[in-house]
Amino acid sequence: MSIILDKVNYTYSAGTAYEIQALKNINLKMEDGQFIGIIGHTGSGKSTLIQHLNGLMKATSGTIYYNGEDIYAEDYDLRQLRSKVGLVFQYPEHQLFETTIFDDVCYGPKNQGLTKEEAGLRAFEALKSVGLKEELYYQSPFDLSGGQKRRVAIAGVLAMRPEVLILDEPTAGLDPKGRDEILNLVSAMHKERKITIVLVSHSMEDVAQYVERIIVMNHGEMIFDDAPHEVFKHYKELEKIGLAAPQVTYLMHELSENGLPVDVNATTVSEAKDEILKALGRKVC
Amino acid sequence: MLKDITLGQYYPADSILHKLDPRVKLFGTMIYIISLFSFRGIPAFVLATIFLISIIRISKVPFSYMVKGLKSIVVLMIITGIFNLFLTQGEVLVQIWVFKITYEGIKNAVLMVVRLIYLIIGTSLMTLTTTPNQLTDGLEKALMPLEKIKLPVHEIAMMMSIALRFIPILVEETDKIMKAQMARGADFESGNIIKKAKAMIPLLVPLFVSAFRRANDLAMAMEARCYHGGHGRTKMKPLAYGVADRKAYVVLVVYFVLMLVLRFVWVRFVG
Amino acid sequence: MKEQNIIEAKGLVHEYIRRDEEGNVEAIQTALDHVNLDVRPGQFIAILGHNGSGKSTLAKHINALLAPTEGTLYVDGKDASKEENVWDVRQSAGMVFQNPDNQIIASVVEEDVGFGPENIGVPTEEIWQRVEESLKSVGMLEYRTHSPNKLSGGQKQRVAIAGVMAMKPKCIVLDEPTAMLDPLGRKEVLKAVRALNKQAGVTIILITHYMEEVVNADYVFVMDEGKVVMKGTPRSIFSQVEELQEYRLSVPQITLLAHELKKSGLPIPDGILTRDELVEALLSVGQQ
C-alpha cells in the first residue's frame, strides 16, 4: 500500500493576475507504515500538498495513485479515499460542533455508513487512544481546554480508522507540555497501529526526534526528501530558506570544526550528549 | 470556490471620480436613479446616455468591468423585457395565440431594459470608484443629522466597516471548516433539501462559534485601544468638500434640472 | 531618589466567579494569587508560564481590561482599579494580543494604525504623523495602503504593534504575540519588539511560553497556578532546568544539553543560554 504522486502541479487562480503556482512538479512515494515529516514555512505549499493526498484539492496536472489506483479516475470514490487517508487540519478544534464529545467523534464513522453501535465502538476506541478521561465523554467539547479539544478533534479523524493519518501542524498554539503530549500521542499511534503518519510542521526540532523521513518544501518545490540526519547535513541551505536545523546540529558542526571528534549527524539532545561524552573520553551513562 | 465572491469590488485608478467625496457620489447616484425612473422621451434619454458615457470615461474604469456586473442580472432583464412586451395594452402589432405584442409593449420593454442597464452601470460606478471604507465614512457623515432622532449613526457605520473587514476572513474560515468536515466524510452536495440542510449543521455551528470568539477578541482589542464610542473621537481621514466636489454638485444639479425640463416639455408637447 | 516604577502590583488577586442561573456562586477559580510585580521604565520583562498559569489574566489587569478582586496595581503612578483612570491606564500601557486577525479593525493598514489615536482625540494632522512614525518603527511603512488580509501573520502582528505605538504608550504588554506564527514571523515580531525597547525606550512586558524568546530579557518572571514562582535574570532562571520542567516549560535544546552534560559530570557552568557559550565551555573541557 502506498501513495504515489506523479508530476503533480497545482496553480491557484489560474489565468488571473493573482496566479500562484503552489506545487511544482511533485514526484513522491509514501510507503506504507512510514512516519514522514513535511517541513516548510507558511506559503511553501505544504498545506496544499497534503490536501491533494485525500483528494480535497485536485491537481492542475499530474496523477496521484492510492494503492495503485488513480484517484482522479472517473469511477474512483473520493469519499472512500477520505476515510482511508485521514486529514487533521490546523487548529482542528475549530471543527467541533456536536453537543457532546462522544457524538462529535461519531460524526466521521456515521458518514462512513456505519450503524450507531459500530460508530459508538469506534468513538470509544478513538477517544481512549488519545488518552481522554472517560468521565469527559458526555460533556460539551466547548468546555475543554485547548489541548483537550485538539485531542478530541484528532480522535474524530482516528475513529474513521484511516490507513494514513495526516496532521497539519498539530502543535500550533499549544504550550510546550501540550505540544509534547500531542507528539508523543502521534508517535505512539504509529508504533501501535502501524499506520502511515504524515506530520506537517515548521519546526525541525519538533519532528527530528520522531520521524524517519523528512520532506522539505520551499516555494512549491520539494527540495529535500531524505532521512533527518541526511537533510540536516544541508543546514546551511536550510537556513537560507528560513528553516533552521535543530540547534544541536549547529552545535555538533561547530564542535567538530574546532577539533572535537563528534559525529555531526546527532540530532537530538540525548544523541548529542552521548557523542560529546564519547569524544571527551568520558563514560557514557 | 467561495473565494470568487468579491464584495464591494473596488477598482483602483487615479481619476477625478475616485477622488470625489463619497457623499457627492452617494448623492449623485441617488439623483441619477431618480432621473432614470422619471424621464420621458427621446431627448431626456439621450441626455441620460451622454451623462452616463461621460462619467464612465472620467472614471478610467475599463468598460468590461461594468459589463461583468450586468451578467448577474441578465435573467432579470429578460423577465422584465418579456413581461413588458406581452402585458402592455395598446395597438396590437403581432398576435400569436393569446400573446399580443403591442407597439406600447415594445416601447416599454426597451425602456425598462435600458433603465435597468443604466441603473446597474450607474451604481456599480459608485462602488468601483469608492472604497468600502470611504462609503461607510460618507454614509456616517451624510446621516449624522439623524443622530438627533437617536439613530446610532456612528455605531452603524462602525459595524459596517468591521463587517467589511471580517467578511473575507469568515469566507476563508467557511472554506476551511467545509474541507475539515469533508475530510471526516461529510457530503454537502447530495440528497434532498432536508438532508442538505442537516448537512449544514457541522458547518454552521463551528462558524458561529468562531464568529463569536472573534467578536469577543475584537471587542477587547478595541477597548484596549481606548475605543469608547463616537464621542470625542477625531478622524484620521476627515471628509471635507473641495473645489472638485462643489463643481460636481453643480453638474449634478444642472443635469437634474435639465432632465426635469425635458420631461415637462415632452409631456406638454408630445404627450 | 528612587525612580518610579511604571508597573507596581502588590498582592494582586483575581477570581473568576462562575454563577448558576439563579446567580448563586457555583465555582471560584483563582487566576491570580497574590502576585507582586515591579517593572522599571525601559525594562524588557518576560513572563513565562504554561496555558492557564494566569499570565494572560495578569496582562489584562495591566491594561485595565480586568479589575483586581484584591490587591493594588499602579500603572505609571495611577491606580488601575479606579474607573476614572481606565482610559489613562490604557493609553500608557498598550496591549498586543495573540490572534493577529482578531485585533485589526480597519481594512487598510494605515487606517488601523490610526484607530487608537482617533479614539483618544488626537488632531488629524498629528494622527498622520504618528501613523507614519509607528509604521516605520516596525518596518511596515511600505505596506501602509495594503489590506491586512493580504499580509503574513508576522506582518499583521507588526501592524498591531504599530497600532499600539501610535498611542505613544510608555509600556507595551504583548500577550503571546508569537504563539500563532511560524518561525519566520516569530523572528520578525521579536526583532521589532526588541528595537522598540532599545531605540524608543518603551517598556516591554512579553508574555510567552517559548523560552527561546526570553533570552534577551532583563528580567524573567515564571508563573504557575496564578502565582509568581520564579524570578530573576534569564541566566539564573535557565540554570534551574528541573524546576522549569516541573512548571511545564520546555527548556531550549542547548540549555537542556548543557544541563544533561553537567549532570554526567562535565565541569560546565550553570545557565548556558547560547550555542557559542556551550561550544566554548566544551572546548575548554576538552583542553584539560
Side-chain angles (χ1 to χ4, degrees):
Chain A
M1 283 198 269
S2 62
I3 302 177
I4 297 171
L5 276 73
D6 185 25
K7 300 193 198 79
V8 168
N9 282 286
Y10 184 81
T11 313
Y12 275 107
S13 332
T16 71
Y18 302 106
E19 187 177 302
I20 299 166
Q21 194 169 1
L23 293 179
K24 290 176 197 159
N25 195 31
I26 306 287
N27 294 296
L28 187 65
K29 185 171 183 192
M30 292 179 171
E31 299 281 3
D32 197 24
Q34 274 192 330
F35 194 159
I36 305 170
I38 300 183
I39 312 268
H41 47 75
T42 315
S44 61
K46 57 190 196 311
S47 292
T48 311
L49 175 64
I50 54 166
Q51 289 183 38
H52 277 77
L53 301 181
N54 73 347
L56 274 175
M57 290 178 99
K58 192 175 183 299
T60 320
S61 72
T63 330
I64 297 174
Y65 300 94
Y66 184 75
N67 292 343
E69 284 179 86
D70 178 357
I71 68 162
Y72 296 142
E74 221 159 275
D75 54 350
Y76 195 83
D77 186 357
L78 276 178
R79 281 185 70 198
Q80 194 65 32
L81 174 71
R82 281 178 203 144
S83 65
K84 284 183 185 147
V85 182
L87 174 55
V88 180
F89 273 83
Q90 211 180 351
Y91 299 104
E93 60 274 21
H94 292 177
Q95 75 195 24
L96 301 175
F97 70 99
E98 277 284 7
T99 43
T100 72
I101 290 167
F102 188 75
D103 285 346
D104 207 285
V105 178
C106 284
Y107 179 67
K110 272 187 194 155
N111 282 330
Q112 284 177 294
L114 296 179
T115 64
K116 216 176 160 189
E117 287 71 32
E118 281 174 297
L121 282 174
R122 292 279 192 93
F124 261 117
E125 177 195 275
L127 281 168
K128 211 169 157 190
S129 68
V130 297
L132 199 76
K133 282 190 211 119
E134 223 166 289
E135 63 257 33
L136 293 172
Y137 287 10
Y138 296 99
Q139 287 187 13
S140 162
F142 299 106
D143 292 339
L144 297 176
S145 76
Q148 285 174 321
K149 271 188 204 168
R150 190 157 302 179
R151 278 189 277 160
V152 171
I154 294 174
V157 173
L158 269 185
M160 299 171 77
R161 283 205 193 140
E163 292 163 353
V164 178
L165 181 67
I166 308 168
L167 302 109
D168 191 357
E169 293 186 27
T171 62
L174 295 181
D175 66 8
K177 187 84 181 289
R179 180 190 67 202
D180 293 347
E181 279 170 12
I182 294 281
L183 289 176
N184 288 331
L185 179 81
V186 171
S187 172
M189 274 183 310
H190 178 246
K191 287 197 189 94
E192 286 156 21
R193 299 190 172 202
K194 310 263 183 280
I195 56 176
T196 312
I197 292 196
V198 179
L199 188 65
V200 179
S201 172
H202 47 226
S203 165
M204 290 280 186
E205 285 176 17
D206 277 2
V207 297
Q209 54 177 315
Y210 296 102
V211 303
E212 60 195 85
R213 174 180 170 191
I214 288 182
I215 294 169
V216 181
M217 297 287 297
N218 190 41
H219 294 305
E221 278 175 288
M222 209 168 77
I223 54 171
F224 297 111
D225 176 8
D226 220 323
H229 62 90
E230 289 297 320
V231 171
F232 295 150
K233 275 185 186 155
H234 305 279
Y235 69 105
K236 283 183 180 143
E237 283 132 288
L238 288 173
E239 192 163 275
K240 264 185 213 139
I241 58 170
L243 292 167
Q247 285 292 317
V248 165
T249 304
Y250 288 91
L251 179 80
M252 299 312 257
H253 278 274
E254 275 167 34
L255 288 175
S256 133
E257 276 160 25
N258 282 297
L260 205 62
V262 288
D263 180 6
V264 292
N265 287 335
T267 48
T268 64
V269 170
S270 66
E271 282 170 17
K273 179 183 147 195
D274 293 351
E275 274 303 315
I276 291 169
L277 289 175
K278 220 184 333 174
L280 289 172
R282 310 265 169 153
K283 214 179 99 217
V284 177
C285 52
Chain B
M1 54 201 119
L2 285 158
K3 279 187 185 134
D4 300 331
I5 301 170
T6 49
L7 199 109
Q9 34 184 297
Y10 173 71
Y11 184 88
D14 186 28
S15 81
I16 304 168
L17 208 60
H18 282 79
K19 287 195 193 111
L20 281 184
D21 190 292
R23 285 169 292 174
V24 180
K25 286 185 264 190
L26 278 168
F27 177 72
T29 312
M30 222 167 65
I31 289 289
Y32 186 69
I33 293 172
I34 295 172
S35 77
L36 278 183
F37 284 92
S38 61
F39 79 74
R40 283 278 193 84
I42 310 283
F45 168 69
V46 171
L47 180 63
T49 311
I50 291 172
F51 184 75
L52 187 63
I53 289 173
S54 30
I55 299 281
I56 294 173
R57 295 291 293 274
I58 293 170
S59 75
K60 293 188 184 163
V61 180
F63 190 67
S64 60
Y65 257 78
M66 281 159 244
V67 178
K68 256 191 215 162
L70 289 177
K71 274 182 197 156
S72 55
I73 58 145
V74 165
V75 179
L76 184 70
M77 284 193 303
I78 292 171
I79 293 172
T80 318
I82 289 175
F83 264 87
N84 279 288
L85 196 60
F86 292 110
L87 298 178
T88 314
Q89 298 299 325
E91 186 185 329
V92 179
L93 293 180
V94 191
Q95 183 156 15
I96 312 155
W97 190 41
V98 290
F99 298 109
K100 285 175 279 190
I101 294 178
T102 62
Y103 170 71
E104 282 77 11
I106 293 175
K107 215 175 74 178
N108 275 352
V110 171
L111 195 64
M112 277 318 286
V113 170
V114 166
R115 271 179 181 158
L116 263 178
I117 293 173
Y118 282 23
L119 175 81
I120 296 298
I121 293 181
T123 41
S124 62
L125 262 172
M126 180 180 68
T127 52
L128 283 167
T129 61
T130 321
T131 64
N133 280 336
Q134 285 173 328
L135 258 185
T136 321
D137 273 358
L139 267 178
E140 182 181 358
K141 195 110 190 227
L143 296 178
M144 250 332 160
L146 296 179
E147 198 132 76
K148 288 207 181 72
I149 56 162
K150 300 265 157 81
L151 195 76
V153 175
H154 168 77
E155 282 72 14
I156 293 171
M158 183 55 83
M159 268 160 60
M160 273 176 64
S161 64
I162 289 173
L164 286 169
R165 152 116 179 86
F166 278 87
I167 284 170
I169 293 175
L170 287 175
V171 166
E172 206 172 294
E173 184 131 11
T174 313
D175 205 45
K176 213 192 103 186
I177 297 170
M178 218 161 151
K179 276 185 179 163
Q181 304 299 25
M182 276 161 80
R184 291 211 277 166
D187 182 1
F188 294 111
E189 270 118 35
S190 60
N192 56 24
I193 289 181
I194 296 169
K195 206 181 154 213
K196 268 188 193 162
K198 257 191 172 165
M200 294 307 274
I201 295 172
L203 176 63
L204 292 178
V205 174
L207 198 60
F208 274 117
V209 171
S210 145
F212 278 117
R213 192 183 52 237
R214 286 184 192 281
N216 203 14
D217 283 4
L218 191 70
M220 181 130 42
M222 286 170 77
E223 242 187 275
R225 283 210 261 165
C226 291
Y227 180 72
H228 51 284
H231 184 70
R233 243 180 143 243
T234 43
K235 284 258 175 197
M236 181 183 180
K237 297 177 176 173
L239 292 177
Y241 287 125
V243 183
D245 298 311
R246 284 187 208 106
K247 280 184 187 160
Y249 271 126
V250 174
V251 172
L252 282 169
V253 171
V254 169
Y255 164 77
F256 195 59
V257 171
L258 265 176
M259 287 298 272
L260 286 180
V261 169
L262 286 175
R263 178 194 160 92
F264 176 75
V265 173
W266 186 269
V267 173
R268 182 84 187 260
F269 298 102
V270 185
Chain C
M1 208 180 96
K2 205 183 127 220
E3 204 180 356
Q4 194 193 16
N5 283 331
I6 183 133
I7 289 162
E8 213 176 278
K10 277 205 176 67
L12 209 59
V13 175
H14 188 87
E15 287 169 345
Y16 287 108
I17 298 173
R18 215 167 69 187
R19 289 175 196 277
D20 61 15
E21 278 142 31
E22 279 121 45
N24 302 315
V25 175
E26 207 171 39
I28 296 177
Q29 191 203 344
T30 309
L32 291 181
D33 191 359
H34 296 92
V35 169
N36 296 317
L37 187 80
D38 297 317
V39 181
R40 284 197 307 279
Q43 271 192 318
F44 189 135
I45 298 291
I47 300 178
L48 277 171
H50 61 79
N51 292 346
S53 62
K55 57 194 198 307
S56 287
T57 307
L58 178 62
K60 281 169 194 156
H61 278 79
I62 299 174
N63 196 256
L65 289 169
L66 287 175
T69 313
E70 234 179 81
T72 56
L73 172 67
Y74 282 87
V75 175
D76 197 25
K78 293 208 164 72
D79 186 346
S81 60
K82 289 226 168 67
E83 190 65 40
E84 70 262 26
N85 289 337
V86 163
W87 305 112
D88 285 339
V89 166
R90 284 185 191 159
Q91 196 184 330
S92 41
M95 180 130 175
V96 175
F97 298 86
Q98 188 188 75
N99 190 325
D101 269 325
N102 298 356
Q103 56 184 318
I104 294 180
I105 292 118
S107 315
V108 182
V109 167
E110 61 177 15
E111 286 177 15
D112 187 73
V113 178
F115 180 75
E118 284 183 334
N119 289 333
I120 53 176
V122 176
T124 301
E125 241 165 82
E126 205 191 320
I127 296 181
W128 282 89
Q129 211 179 315
R130 286 189 182 195
V131 167
E132 194 163 327
E133 277 167 19
S134 315
L135 281 172
K136 211 187 268 171
S137 73
V138 296
M140 288 295 293
L141 193 61
E142 57 186 306
Y143 295 93
R144 63 185 304 164
T145 56
H146 286 229
S147 156
N149 292 332
K150 295 259 150 67
L151 301 180
S152 73
Q155 289 173 327
K156 281 182 208 167
Q157 263 333 28
R158 275 149 70 201
V159 171
I161 294 172
V164 171
M165 278 301 286
M167 298 173 74
K168 299 215 166 153
K170 292 194 175 145
C171 157
I172 300 184
V173 184
L174 300 106
D175 189 3
E176 297 192 35
T178 60
M180 297 178 79
L181 306 182
D182 70 359
L184 280 180
R186 209 174 287 168
K187 242 186 236 166
E188 272 172 44
V189 169
L190 286 175
K191 207 177 127 205
V193 170
R194 232 171 274 147
L196 291 182
N197 180 245
K198 287 271 154 343
Q199 280 147 29
V202 183
T203 312
I204 301 287
I205 298 176
L206 177 68
I207 294 174
T208 179
H209 49 229
Y210 293 109
M211 301 224 29
E212 289 86 343
E213 296 181 353
V214 310
V215 172
N216 291 300
D218 296 322
Y219 210 71
V220 179
F221 293 85
V222 178
M223 289 192 67
D224 189 57
E225 292 183 347
K227 293 189 190 76
V228 172
V229 288
M230 292 167 84
K231 56 182 176 180
T233 58
R235 199 173 296 280
S236 73
I237 296 281
F238 278 32
S239 62
Q240 304 166 56
V241 171
E242 264 124 36
E243 226 182 317
L244 285 167
Q245 282 173 334
E246 247 172 66
Y247 297 126
R248 304 184 51 169
L249 291 165
S250 77
V251 179
Q253 270 196 338
I254 293 296
T255 309
L256 188 62
L257 179 59
H259 176 77
E260 293 282 320
L261 288 170
K262 193 178 155 77
K263 266 207 310 201
S264 306
L266 288 190
I268 300 177
D270 266 331
I272 293 243
L273 298 179
T274 65
R275 209 161 69 219
D276 291 346
E277 284 172 10
L278 184 56
V279 170
E280 204 180 305
L282 286 173
L283 290 177
S284 76
V285 172
Q287 275 157 10
Q288 282 166 13

